[in-house]
Amino acid sequence: MPRGRDLYVILGALMLAMLLAALDQTIVSTALPTIVSDLGGLNHLSWVVTAYLLSSTASTPLWGKLGDQYGRKRLFQTSIVIFLVGSALCGVAQDMTQLIAFRGVQGLGGGGLMVLVVAIVGDVVPVRERGRYQGLFGAVFGVSSVCGPLLGGWFVDNLSWRWVFYINIPIGILTLIVIAAVLHTTSVREQHRIDYPGILLIVGWSVGLVLMTTWGGTQYAWASPQIIALGVGSVILIVLWIFVELRAAEPVMPPRLFRSAVFSQSSAISFVIGFAMFGAMTFIPIFLQVVHGVSPTMSGVHLLPMMVGMLVASIGSGQLISNTGRYKIYPVVGTPIVAVAMWWCSRMDETTSTLSMSLRFALLGFGLGLVMQVLVIAVQNAVPYQDLGSATSGVTFFRQIGGSFGVAVFGSVFANQLSSKMESVARSGKLPPGFDPTAAEGDPKLLDRLPPQVRGDVLHVYAESIQTVFLWAVPIAVVAVVLTWFLREVPLRATAGAQDYGEGLGGAHTVRSSRHEIERALSSLMRKDAKAMELYERLGALAGVNLPAGSMWALCRIAKDGTVSGAELAERAEVLVEQGRPYVDRLVNAGFVVRSGGDLSITEAGQAAAIRLFEARREGLAEHLAGWSPEEHRELAEILTRLSRESLGDDADGKAVYAGAVPGEGHAGGGRHAAPD
């Protein structure tokens, strides 16, 4: 595994890649009004967001399986290239149709970035440190949620909306160079039977349903042959998808998951939360920029209360759940808050004050945050081990799909309301001669040409149209309220104490296996263990190994290597060779290690003592898996055995266990910053 500077360089590049993919879910929102003014096509506005969400969500299972099967580095580089090509094409798009198509390409690469970053972190970071670094990657989602709308507005105001996409190119190229030069993964290849039909059918029915909700009532009447055909076709594709998934060796989403009431209810609630979150983040900037006349940058600033409320509630609820073991109360409280906030947002108009809007947005974000983290925990507590990865991915999948539908439905309602209300204004005779109301629908900047009184009437039309959007969201949120009442609260497993803030903060859809989920949770929980010296002393007492902590660390390290030079062992501990001689002397005197020249070799007695330490560590780790029955799952048993060996004699503990008195000076823990000879 890479160490030191190389590791930090790799992690920095991976965090940049994840930031790019996460930002592109939110950075476009504050640029949308300007994009519409430049390219036209207001009725297609929602697809700028939806195309990215759909393509990234649908492609993540494919990227994950291909990465396991063919190696992650080349696949990761390929996904970066696809993402950069899509970004460049979005930047040069000449009409809305081109932009939507190129956003789909960008989302295809973005899906690869998200899932492969998570997998590569597991390849390059030692297991004891993985939880800490995964926490940093979770923070990336929080940063992208807060900074995305703000950055999008800043680019529009100071450069051009095209820089929302161009900015990805230099950062992506830097990531490519770093990954090519420094990343050398040796991940174990896993053979998969990839569910290509399942992936294609998911894309088919989701696109069909989103098209139906986008075009229905706007481009085509709801009873038109086109809309009916889309609906019928989507239902047929869903039936085919279920048929295929029932027979697939490795289905994208096993149908048996839906037999779990907790999974079905959590997925439905997650769908609604995605619906509300992405829908609101898309149309609030339009309301702010058009109705209130704020700049794109300031519309991003106005969204900060929503983002902060979401972060505070999500992180806070996660911490409270870890401490109390109870989680149902948070969605029970959160979903009514979302419904109330949506209704309150539907009362906004051109006279609403900044303070009043900020309170509404903060309330909406707070309600969303109370729900998102909990849904992941709920499904992880309700499914058996073999379905853990699929269930976790499934609930976040439905959040992304809900976001796609939310943007599409909100866009359809908005376009339909705006068109009918603008026609009403035109019939009233208030508009000046030659002013085309349909052109104003597609280009809000044209409103500046209107006389003040008429302009006020038209802005009120925009406000009323967006009011209707939020009003339509209220009954959908109420459905989630009802669903949370029936959400069954399963006793909390220990692994639920290791929250995945990447999923909980509304991050993009990722795919991990059950093994990856357990390793992630164990990694986080291991960080909460006792300090290294205390851990080794406790294990020594349990295993009957009467040695200082520094000697036990050296014993485990030498046992894993078989033979190692004193200089190399000192380097691993990051201390001087001569400072560690007392610790190795204890091992040599006990008959656990043989010193030959500069090399240290394990003896049979030493190997037996190390095995007792590894077994004691394994029993301690098994306590974290209470409720998962590791004795019934071979893979879980193998994870415990592997992690118990990897976590003892780990480089990260080397220096820590040599703090204290030198052996023989009255302290069982062993000497000052020392390393073996």
Side-chain angles (χ1 to χ4, degrees):
M1 286 188 176
R3 300 171 62 196
R5 185 179 63 85
D6 284 351
L7 175 60
Y8 295 129
V9 170
I10 291 172
L11 291 174
L14 293 176
M15 290 178 72
L16 279 177
M18 180 169 279
L19 183 64
L20 288 178
L23 273 177
D24 268 78
Q25 290 189 126
T26 58
I27 196 172
V28 175
S29 59
T30 45
L32 279 176
T34 306
I35 292 173
V36 169
S37 294
D38 193 8
L39 300 182
L42 180 67
N43 56 330
H44 300 307
L45 173 147
S46 60
W47 273 96
V48 178
V49 177
T50 300
Y52 185 88
L53 287 177
L54 280 177
S55 60
S56 62
T57 302
S59 65
T60 46
L62 181 61
W63 284 111
K65 295 289 179 67
L66 289 175
D68 287 344
Q69 191 160 318
Y70 298 110
R72 298 189 181 106
K73 178 177 178 177
R74 292 190 182 278
L75 267 267
F76 184 54
Q77 291 171 316
T78 301
S79 67
I80 294 174
V81 170
I82 293 173
F83 183 81
L84 295 183
V85 169
S87 297
L89 291 173
C90 287
V92 299
Q94 298 302 305
D95 56 48
M96 194 65 84
T97 302
Q98 289 182 14
L99 180 60
I100 290 168
F102 299 149
R103 280 284 281 173
V105 175
Q106 191 186 32
L108 179 63
L113 292 182
M114 299 302 304
V115 70
L116 292 172
V117 163
V118 172
I120 291 172
V121 170
D123 292 338
V124 301
V125 176
V127 64
R128 281 286 297 278
E129 297 296 303
R130 204 171 294 166
R132 179 177 63 171
Y133 291 117
Q134 285 171 333
L136 292 176
F137 280 86
V140 169
F141 288 108
V143 170
S144 68
S145 298
V146 172
C147 296
L150 195 59
L151 282 175
W154 188 88
F155 283 128
V156 170
D157 280 339
N158 295 278
L159 296 169
S160 160
W161 66 262
R162 298 181 186 275
W163 273 94
V164 168
F165 305 108
Y166 288 153
I167 191 60
N168 295 330
I169 297 173
I171 299 175
I173 291 174
L174 175 62
T175 304
L176 268 179
I177 294 171
V178 172
I179 293 300
V182 184
L183 180 62
H184 306 288
T185 60
T186 56
S187 56
V188 177
R189 303 292 176 89
E190 300 178 32
Q191 292 300 313
H192 292 287
R193 297 180 64 181
I194 299 174
D195 183 19
Y196 291 108
I199 294 171
L200 291 174
L201 286 168
I202 281 182
V203 174
W205 64 254
S206 57
V207 169
L209 289 176
V210 171
L211 279 174
M212 183 181 74
T213 54
T214 303
W215 288 345
T218 54
Q219 194 158 337
Y220 303 102
W222 281 106
S224 66
Q226 293 88 343
I227 299 301
I228 293 173
L230 282 171
V232 172
S234 298
V235 171
I236 292 172
L237 290 177
I238 290 173
V239 173
L240 286 174
W241 176 63
I242 295 172
F243 179 82
V244 166
E245 296 299 89
L246 286 170
R247 287 156 180 78
E250 297 184 38
V252 176
M253 191 178 300
R256 65 177 177 271
L257 286 175
F258 294 96
R259 297 173 192 162
S260 166
V262 173
F263 177 79
S264 298
Q265 292 163 352
S266 296
S267 296
I269 298 168
S270 188
F271 180 93
V272 173
I273 291 304
F275 194 107
M277 181 174 71
F278 287 105
M281 288 176 64
T282 300
F283 287 91
I284 286 177
I286 295 175
F287 174 82
L288 292 168
Q289 291 181 41
V290 176
V291 177
H292 279 262
V294 304
S295 68
T297 300
M298 287 306 299
S299 69
V301 173
H302 278 73
L303 278 176
L304 285 178
M306 176 180 169
M307 300 302 139
V308 172
M310 188 164 60
L311 291 176
V312 168
S314 186
I315 295 173
S317 62
Q319 293 296 323
L320 289 171
I321 290 167
S322 297
N323 294 331
T324 64
R326 307 304 297 269
Y327 60 84
K328 181 177 178 178
I329 184 63
Y330 301 102
V332 167
V333 172
T335 47
I337 290 176
V338 172
V340 170
M342 285 293 187
W343 174 82
W344 200 13
C345 286
S346 75
R347 314 306 297 169
M348 294 189 303
D349 58 23
E350 63 274 22
T351 64
T352 307
S353 68
T354 297
L355 176 60
S356 179
M357 289 189 294
S358 296
L359 291 174
R360 297 167 206 239
F361 300 158
L363 186 68
L364 177 59
F366 190 80
L368 292 170
L370 285 177
V371 183
M372 289 190 296
Q373 179 70 29
V374 176
L375 297 176
V376 176
I377 293 173
V379 297
Q380 288 181 338
N381 273 279
V383 299
Y385 170 73
Q386 61 267 27
D387 290 333
L388 176 60
S390 298
T392 305
S393 301
V395 77
T396 56
F397 167 83
F398 278 104
R399 184 174 63 212
Q400 297 296 103
I401 291 294
S404 301
F405 277 82
V407 175
V409 170
F410 279 16
S412 178
V413 170
F414 173 67
N416 190 43
Q417 288 291 312
L418 184 62
S419 178
S420 63
K421 292 180 184 296
M422 286 290 271
E423 289 177 6
S424 177
V425 172
R427 287 195 299 269
S428 70
K430 294 181 179 180
L431 295 178
F435 186 85
D436 184 1
T438 58
E441 293 172 26
D443 184 0
K445 290 182 179 178
L446 294 178
L447 301 180
D448 295 336
R449 303 177 185 176
L450 294 172
Q453 181 57 44
V454 178
R455 184 171 179 272
D457 292 339
V458 175
L459 289 181
H460 188 67
V461 164
Y462 267 89
E464 286 185 327
S465 300
I466 296 178
Q467 285 175 355
T468 307
V469 165
F470 287 108
L471 198 58
W472 273 58
V474 173
I476 297 171
V478 169
V479 171
V481 173
V482 175
L483 287 172
T484 59
W485 295 343
F486 298 98
L487 184 65
R488 186 164 57 95
E489 188 167 36
V490 179
L492 204 62
R493 288 168 168 145
T495 49
Q499 284 86 31
D500 183 357
Y501 291 117
E503 302 289 6
L505 295 176
H509 176 54
T510 57
V511 174
R512 290 191 288 260
S513 65
S514 296
R515 175 174 60 82
H516 289 147
E517 281 297 322
I518 286 293
E519 287 181 347
R520 177 197 62 78
L522 278 176
S523 172
S524 296
L525 292 172
M526 286 163 69
R527 291 188 60 229
K528 301 178 182 179
D529 284 341
K531 298 293 185 181
M533 184 179 292
E534 297 172 4
L535 174 64
Y536 280 90
E537 291 174 348
R538 187 179 66 200
L539 292 176
L542 292 171
V545 179
N546 186 23
L547 290 171
S551 295
M552 282 188 279
W553 177 86
L555 176 66
C556 293
R557 183 70 261 171
I558 299 169
K560 291 195 291 186
D561 292 340
T563 298
V564 63
S565 70
E568 183 180 349
L569 207 53
E571 182 183 354
R572 286 181 176 277
E574 299 182 6
V575 287
L576 300 176
V577 173
E578 59 270 16
Q579 292 176 312
R581 188 167 287 108
Y583 295 96
V584 176
D585 286 345
R586 291 288 294 265
L587 296 178
V588 173
N589 293 337
F592 292 158
V593 168
V594 173
R595 180 185 285 122
S596 177
D599 291 335
L600 304 167
S601 301
I602 196 76
T603 66
E604 289 187 11
Q607 192 68 254
I611 288 173
R612 295 200 302 274
L613 289 171
F614 292 141
E615 284 298 319
R617 180 60 168 153
R618 188 185 188 281
E619 291 176 11
L621 290 178
E623 294 177 4
H624 290 315
L625 295 185
W628 288 112
S629 304
E631 67 280 357
E632 298 177 8
H633 299 283
R634 180 181 174 183
E635 189 174 65
L636 270 179
E638 291 174 349
I639 290 171
L640 285 175
T641 300
R642 176 169 55 82
L643 293 188
S644 66
R645 288 184 61 85
E646 289 181 7
S647 61
L648 293 185
D650 183 78
D651 295 357
D653 291 340
K655 193 170 184 177
V657 294
Y658 291 116
V662 175
E665 294 185 5
H667 190 284
R672 297 177 287 109
H673 297 306
D677 176 7

